[in-house]
Amino acid sequence: MKIRIRGIYATALTYMLSKNFEIVQQSPQIAERFMQEIIREPADITFKDGEDKGSLIVIGSADNFENYLKEIFPYSIVWKSPVKLYSLIETQNCKYQNYDVEPCLEKGIVIKPPTDGRKIILSPPKAVSKFAMVWRGEGKTFFSEHIVPEERKRLLNISTKYNKKGYNVKWRSNAQFEKNYLLEKDLENLMFKYENNDFSKQGCDFYLINLSLEDKLELDKIRSLVVPTINFHHMLKLSRSREVDIAESGKDNVTQILESLIKDYMGIEHIKINGRRIFLKPGKVIEKRVSDNGYFLLLRREISGNGYYDGLGIRKEEGDYDIMEIDSRKWHEVHNYYSKDGTLKGKYINISTPPELLDGKIRYIDLEVDIIIKNGEKIVIDEDKLEENKKYLSYKMLERIKKEIEYVMTAY
């Protein structure tokens, strides 16, 4: 199995994955760090940064690979798409498996799975392999952005004759590492499949891994075995890449970088297990403690006076406020809800991965189950939601959640 790795996690992942797989298409920097020759061969599976670089996308199919991903990222969310990337699906009333589809095609290939938990993005039918896409069109050739200019000329020479027959060809990044005669054979096969509407075996698995702070800290340790690496390296790279490089040259420290991320008001990004992101009302920083090893924040959030507090069943009133406790060492956040005269109305403890500190906001993965404290009584709620979503969690994560519930029930 050949693995291609791109992005800010490349050094740590190369160290981890090279024990079981052959790493190909390495960047010059990675090849130098590991004293390797760059292997210019097509990849079977690709690891790359997610859109916000706080997550990983894994594309490709292999036996039992989902369980393997849960083993190497035990405290993250390993979400496997219910539809394969580039597979052809038929829709009904602009929906497929309760997901909206966009655009509203009767059938099309999946070009973006429902990573937001809501919709699938489609494209008109195309025949797809690991090297190219073929469909009827204007007779043009397109290229992946990752194909270098010198390879585009070679690939264009191969696809031109198909363009003259009225086919569009898009070369995928793997094509630049394959021999001409095999690419010609691949295009012939794709053309035949397209004309015969044979899309049945098309598509590959798609995984979105929302990385927890716990697993990023482990990646920091692994990276430190290869090159100098500060604590919180992979978290801080998302907001302060240049400052991280300076700190790792010995000219700065972690505390300074962490301090720079804390603003007067902090946003709160609450990620659900299915990938959906919820942005809570920001809070004013009223206390902070920061060191090279972690951070603690108290936020004051003003509450709008309508409705009821989730789980607590207590009415919200004008003047209510929330004192939210955020600690990088803990697997939960505490919401302390007060009335305007300072009377504690109740506590809501959200079980989550340890909160990350980004530029002007905190972010964590909500682990569904929560604990409420009202009138001295402690109640665990939403266990049914955890049960519904546990297929995305490793055994270690489920055990960690159980341990955290036990801790919170005795500590508060």
Side-chain angles (χ1 to χ4, degrees):
M1 188 71 65
K2 294 179 173 61
I3 305 286
R4 168 176 53 197
I5 304 169
R6 296 174 177 155
I8 66 172
Y9 306 97
T11 299
L13 289 176
T14 297
Y15 188 94
M16 291 170 62
L17 298 174
S18 59
K19 298 175 182 178
N20 297 300
F21 304 98
E22 182 178 13
I23 310 301
V24 300
Q25 302 177 32
Q26 310 97 306
S27 69
Q29 184 184 50
I30 292 296
E32 181 182 353
R33 283 179 178 172
F34 288 89
M35 294 181 287
Q36 300 171 338
E37 292 291 328
I38 297 176
I39 301 175
R40 295 178 57 81
E41 294 182 11
D44 301 303
I45 294 177
T46 295
F47 283 72
K48 63 181 183 178
D49 296 342
E51 289 181 10
D52 65 353
K53 297 188 178 180
S55 58
L56 274 173
I57 289 172
V58 182
I59 299 171
S61 301
D63 292 340
N64 207 35
F65 206 65
E66 182 176 2
N67 289 334
Y68 176 74
L69 292 173
K70 287 178 180 177
E71 286 178 13
I72 62 174
F73 304 111
Y75 300 114
S76 297
I77 308 302
V78 178
W79 178 84
K80 183 179 181 181
S81 173
V83 290
K84 290 192 172 188
L85 185 65
Y86 303 127
S87 63
L88 185 128
I89 62 172
E90 296 185 5
T91 68
Q92 290 187 338
N93 299 320
C94 303
K95 286 189 174 292
Y96 182 81
Q97 292 186 359
N98 294 321
Y99 295 103
D100 294 330
V101 295
E102 187 179 300
C104 185
L105 303 174
E106 289 186 5
K107 62 180 179 178
I109 64 166
V110 177
I111 59 171
K112 185 177 180 182
T115 54
D116 61 355
R118 293 176 176 175
K119 67 182 177 183
I120 298 168
I121 306 299
L122 295 182
S123 174
K126 299 175 176 67
V128 183
S129 72
K130 66 191 291 186
F131 301 114
M133 302 180 183
V134 169
W135 69 103
R136 281 282 183 185
E138 305 88 354
K140 294 182 179 180
T141 292
F142 306 89
F143 300 92
S144 161
E145 62 180 315
H146 301 292
I147 296 178
V148 296
E150 55 268 27
E151 286 293 336
R152 296 189 179 202
K153 183 176 180 181
R154 175 176 76 93
L155 297 173
L156 183 59
N157 286 336
I158 298 171
S159 57
T160 295
K161 70 177 182 179
Y162 298 92
N163 295 154
K164 291 179 179 178
K165 296 177 182 179
Y167 293 99
N168 286 346
V169 175
K170 180 175 181 180
W171 290 110
R172 301 179 67 189
S173 57
N174 260 332
Q176 62 191 319
F177 303 104
E178 191 53 282
K179 297 178 179 65
N180 285 12
Y181 79 95
L182 291 174
L183 294 175
E184 290 174 1
K185 184 177 179 181
D186 189 61
L187 289 188
E188 288 286 348
N189 187 46
L190 289 175
M191 183 179 69
F192 178 82
K193 286 187 173 184
Y194 181 81
E195 291 302 333
N196 287 277
N197 292 311
D198 180 10
F199 306 104
S200 58
K201 297 181 180 179
Q202 186 168 291
C204 58
D205 291 332
F206 180 100
Y207 300 91
L208 176 66
I209 304 172
N210 270 314
L211 291 168
S212 67
L213 177 58
E214 189 85 356
D215 281 341
K216 285 180 183 176
L217 292 174
E218 184 62 27
L219 290 173
D220 293 345
K221 293 176 185 177
I222 293 169
R223 187 180 186 274
S224 71
L225 300 173
V226 183
V227 289
T229 303
I230 61 171
N231 201 19
F232 297 110
H233 168 96
H234 288 97
M235 181 190 81
L236 294 174
K237 268 287 185 179
L238 305 184
S239 305
R240 294 288 187 270
S241 182
R242 181 174 175 273
E243 289 83 350
V244 169
D245 293 340
I246 292 170
E248 288 173 344
S249 69
K251 299 176 182 178
D252 207 340
N253 63 55
V254 176
T255 300
Q256 288 175 300
I257 305 174
L258 291 171
E259 288 271 10
S260 75
L261 298 174
I262 301 172
K263 311 302 182 187
D264 290 341
Y265 281 85
M266 297 292 289
I268 304 163
E269 186 174 350
H270 179 103
I271 303 177
K272 304 295 285 183
I273 289 177
N274 66 4
R276 184 182 172 202
R277 293 168 190 261
I278 299 171
F279 295 90
L280 305 185
K281 189 171 185 177
K284 179 179 176 60
V285 177
I286 59 173
E287 184 181 332
K288 63 180 179 180
R289 298 195 295 270
V290 182
S291 73
D292 281 8
N293 296 314
Y295 40 88
F296 172 84
L297 299 177
L298 280 185
L299 306 183
R300 176 173 171 137
R301 302 170 58 240
E302 305 300 328
I303 304 298
S304 300
N306 54 70
Y308 290 82
Y309 292 105
D310 287 343
L312 290 166
I314 298 172
R315 181 178 289 278
K316 297 176 182 178
E317 298 174 294
E318 285 298 328
D320 282 4
Y321 59 94
D322 169 24
I323 301 299
M324 184 178 180
E325 303 172 23
I326 297 154
D327 192 326
S328 61
R329 300 165 301 174
K330 294 184 177 179
W331 281 68
H332 64 268
E333 297 82 38
V334 182
H335 294 271
N336 301 280
Y337 294 115
Y338 291 90
S339 63
K340 63 182 177 181
D341 65 2
T343 301
L344 180 65
K345 303 178 82 168
K347 288 178 180 281
Y348 190 102
I349 302 173
N350 182 63
I351 306 299
S352 74
T353 58
E356 292 185 73
L357 184 59
L358 304 179
D359 192 8
K361 71 177 177 181
I362 64 156
R363 177 168 66 192
Y364 53 81
I365 301 167
D366 174 40
L367 297 173
E368 300 295 356
V369 65
D370 303 300
I371 296 169
I372 60 168
I373 303 175
K374 181 176 68 169
N375 299 325
E377 185 180 8
K378 301 172 189 176
I379 304 171
V380 181
I381 62 172
D382 293 339
E383 290 178 288
D384 56 330
K385 293 181 181 178
L386 176 61
E387 181 68 23
E388 182 183 336
N389 287 284
K390 71 178 185 180
K391 61 185 175 182
Y392 303 118
L393 309 178
S394 71
Y395 174 78
K396 284 186 177 181
M397 177 70 103
L398 291 170
E399 286 296 301
R400 188 64 187 79
I401 294 170
K402 180 180 177 182
K403 180 180 177 182
E404 193 66 14
I405 292 171
E406 293 171 353
Y407 168 76
V408 168
M409 292 294 281
T410 56
Y412 292 89

